[in-house]
Amino acid sequence: MSNPTIQTTGIDPEPEASSNDTKLPATRKTLHQNIIGKLRPLPFQYRWVVWHEKHVESANYHDRLYLLHEDVADIATFYRIYNNYPWEKVRLRDSVHIFRKGTKPIWEDPENVNGGCWTFQVPKAKSQSFFHELAILCMANELQAAVQGEHDHVLGVSTSVRFKTHLISVWNKSGRNEKSIRALGDTIIERLSEDLRPASTKSYYYKRHDEHDGFAAALEAVRKSQENSTS
């Protein structure tokens, strides 16, 4: 089975309604209108890249990552990609990432190596709306504003398909800055539409990348690759 691809046949400035989101709550409409109203005249402060990650048993990111769009510079480009992406074809345990240009969605990237993620276990019925809102908040620098004073950076958002839920994550650079981590988590909860906010604190958590079992292997793979390239 081939990987999902984007057919960008036109620009639609508004997200299309899905079967899981036929009536957009007023709070979510307000969030979109406020942010999109700010963004429409100007490009994003940062440029963004969209990646598809295939679930394979490999520590080498070259075996997993596929570039979908390398330059999301404004809100119109984002919706052209978002509205044309075949979300229903993303396979179990595959992921889609939206990251700042220059940073790959992997633990071993220099920008990520000391960082971590807020991860939310989101029911499938709400997962697309949840990811959509977080992507907008991230690219519009609404989340970055929460950690700016701590000299931290919000680097990207990810959605990963599971059997009954999606794991949706927000990545930040400073995985040991507790004040920044707390501010980011609080801002995510506060800025989400009310119907999307987690019902329980047990459904989300923060974890540093170096706390994952595969972290050391990923760094070792990078080291060996660098040695081979210089030998």
Side-chain angles (χ1 to χ4, degrees):
M1 184 183 296
S2 60
N3 296 316
T5 57
I6 298 171
Q7 302 297 324
T8 54
T9 55
I11 295 177
D12 184 350
E14 298 290 343
E16 296 175 352
S18 68
S19 59
N20 295 327
D21 192 20
T22 55
K23 293 183 179 180
L24 199 63
T27 54
R28 201 179 309 158
K29 286 182 180 178
T30 301
L31 180 146
H32 293 163
Q33 289 166 355
N34 287 344
I35 293 179
I36 292 171
K38 293 179 187 176
L39 295 173
R40 190 165 281 144
L42 297 170
F44 293 135
Q45 180 176 349
Y46 300 101
R47 303 228 169 187
W48 302 86
V49 178
V50 184
W51 303 85
H52 173 237
E53 182 176 358
K54 195 173 181 179
H55 177 67
V56 293
E57 297 298 331
S58 173
N60 190 334
Y61 69 82
H62 293 293
D63 298 330
R64 310 189 312 265
L65 280 180
Y66 299 86
L67 183 66
L68 293 178
H69 198 286
E70 64 180 348
D71 192 10
V72 181
D74 52 46
I75 196 69
T77 304
F78 168 73
Y79 276 123
R80 188 177 66 209
I81 296 163
Y82 183 89
N83 288 342
N84 288 283
Y85 190 73
W87 297 100
E88 72 283 355
K89 294 184 180 180
V90 180
R91 290 173 288 184
L92 189 68
R93 301 189 75 80
D94 279 13
S95 304
V96 176
H97 309 274
I98 301 175
F99 261 67
R100 281 194 197 180
K101 194 168 187 176
T103 303
K104 290 185 173 67
I106 53 174
W107 302 329
E108 57 269 35
D109 187 280
E111 292 293 295
N112 291 324
V113 71
N114 294 315
C117 291
W118 274 107
T119 298
F120 298 80
Q121 297 172 320
V122 183
K124 281 189 178 292
K126 294 184 176 182
S127 61
Q128 202 57 52
S129 295
F130 194 104
F131 180 67
H132 171 238
E133 287 201 6
L134 275 192
I136 292 292
L137 289 169
C138 182
M139 291 186 294
N141 272 13
E142 299 290 316
L143 300 182
Q144 178 59 37
V147 302
Q148 191 74 33
E150 290 298 311
H151 308 288
D152 195 2
H153 293 274
V154 176
L155 298 170
V157 294
S158 304
T159 181
S160 183
V161 179
R162 296 298 189 266
F163 184 64
K164 292 184 178 180
T165 64
H166 284 207
L167 298 182
I168 300 179
S169 302
V170 178
W171 299 49
N172 75 308
K173 184 175 182 177
S174 301
R176 297 184 183 274
N177 186 330
E178 294 185 7
K179 187 175 179 180
S180 177
I181 292 166
R182 185 167 56 252
L184 177 58
D186 289 347
T187 301
I188 292 169
I189 300 299
E190 290 168 4
R191 296 306 306 275
L192 282 169
S193 296
E194 188 173 354
D195 65 310
L196 295 178
R197 293 172 187 164
S200 168
T201 56
K202 294 181 180 179
S203 66
Y204 62 97
Y205 56 89
Y206 186 86
K207 191 172 185 177
R208 295 195 317 272
H209 304 318
D210 62 12
E211 295 178 292
H212 289 274
D213 291 340
F215 181 80
L219 291 188
E220 180 64 14
V222 170
R223 187 187 65 79
K224 288 183 177 180
S225 176
Q226 291 173 341
E227 287 180 351
N228 291 336
S229 65
T230 57
S231 60

